[in-house]
Amino acid sequence: MPIPSRAALIDHLVRTRIAGNVATPRDNNLAHYRELANGNRHYWLGLELGDRWTDEQDVLAVMAERCGVIDDPGHRAGQDTIDPELTVDALDRMAARLRKAAAGRERVLLATGHPGGLLDVHRATGEALRAAGCEIVRIPGGITADEAMVFQFGDVAVLERGATLWHTHSPAPMAAILDTLEREGGALPDLVVADHGWAGCAGQRGLDAVGYADCNDPALFIGEAEGTVQVTVPLDDHVTDPRFYEPMTAYLLDAAGLL
């Protein structure tokens, strides 16, 4: 995979709708911001937000600043956006943390609640980190959460139920992994690279966590704003072809010095 320049990557993100005019509709975004502000923990993605974000307009302001959604509160339906410049800026920040992990040969845990879109992004990241000398955390067997199995596929922790990898926002699978590691005396990861509740739970537990989030998942952006999550990369987390993420992954790993 050729390494795209910043300009070429931005063009690719917009053409494939990973960023730019994304498929996630405005009304869906606003509904999720409202649910978070109303205290619906499903939308907190494992973070503890207390009563600090009870105004959905404050949530919208964070999302406009950190994700690039349209900042007009009167825009209630139709198209919404992710700023590709913000996506690449966040990739650069994530790359800096991956570079640090490689330099320190850290223990890294990778996980995804969006296996249909981001599994290969995480898998390639894990392979590059291992080649650089990092230890990819091997989770114990027999872990369950949310009436499903938690196991690793291509070194990436996922939720499996009925022979199917599940899309999940729940923090419970990550909590189960961390609880099991602590109970069995295993070392916790130095870094978690994840998304959804996997990343939120890790950050809330005090671990270094970086991850990806869509424009209808505001919690991780709030987590970054508050310092609980180190980096949140804004993108559409399930575009029509997961191979569309390959140039983005190549840019990330090259910026981290891992290629």
Side-chain angles (χ1 to χ4, degrees):
M1 171 64 65
I3 311 303
S5 66
R6 180 186 178 98
L9 178 59
I10 286 173
D11 178 69
H12 172 79
L13 295 174
V14 172
R15 283 189 293 104
T16 57
R17 301 186 75 184
I18 294 172
N21 289 332
V22 293
T24 311
R26 176 67 166 193
D27 55 330
N28 181 262
N29 284 344
L30 295 181
H32 286 204
Y33 304 168
R34 187 176 312 114
E35 291 288 346
L36 181 146
N38 288 340
N40 186 335
R41 285 179 173 267
H42 173 77
Y43 296 89
W44 288 14
L45 302 183
L47 295 168
E48 292 298 329
L49 303 180
D51 59 359
R52 300 184 299 279
W53 298 91
T54 57
D55 187 338
E56 67 180 276
Q57 299 307 320
D58 291 339
V59 180
L60 174 59
V62 169
M63 294 302 292
E65 176 187 13
R66 293 180 176 268
C67 183
V69 301
I70 296 168
D71 62 2
D72 177 11
H75 179 56
R76 308 300 298 177
Q79 184 65 58
D80 213 340
T81 58
I82 293 175
D83 185 341
E85 297 280 355
L86 294 178
T87 302
V88 181
D89 287 346
L91 288 170
D92 288 338
R93 297 196 302 277
M94 182 182 283
R97 185 60 186 87
L98 296 180
R99 183 184 292 271
K100 177 183 175 183
R105 298 195 170 190
E106 294 181 348
R107 285 171 51 83
V108 182
L109 174 62
L110 302 106
T112 185
H114 232 303
L118 299 179
L119 179 62
D120 209 43
V121 176
H122 292 299
R123 181 202 55 77
T125 303
E127 286 185 354
L129 287 168
R130 176 181 280 113
C134 289
E135 177 186 351
I136 304 303
V137 173
R138 184 178 176 89
I139 69 173
I143 297 177
T144 60
D146 295 333
E147 300 181 340
M149 297 296 299
V150 183
F151 68 92
Q152 283 169 301
F153 186 82
D155 287 328
V156 183
V158 292
L159 192 69
E160 184 268 347
R161 184 186 300 154
T164 300
L165 303 186
W166 275 68
H167 171 217
T168 177
H169 288 70
S170 173
M174 178 59 74
I177 292 173
L178 299 179
D179 290 345
T180 303
L181 288 173
E182 290 183 320
R183 186 170 58 251
E184 297 187 359
L188 293 178
D190 302 304
L191 174 66
V192 173
V193 183
D195 48 67
H196 286 178
W198 304 80
C201 175
Q204 188 63 46
R205 292 284 191 100
L207 301 175
D208 284 6
V210 299
Y212 303 92
D214 208 329
C215 54
N216 64 351
D217 291 326
L220 294 189
F221 296 99
I222 289 174
E224 184 179 13
E226 293 193 329
T228 311
V229 176
Q230 291 200 340
V231 180
T232 301
V233 178
L235 47 65
D236 186 317
D237 55 17
H238 198 121
V239 292
T240 56
D241 187 342
R243 287 175 290 188
F244 289 160
Y245 297 109
E246 290 177 355
M248 180 194 80
T249 307
Y251 177 94
L252 170 70
L253 297 181
D254 180 68
L258 296 174
L259 292 182

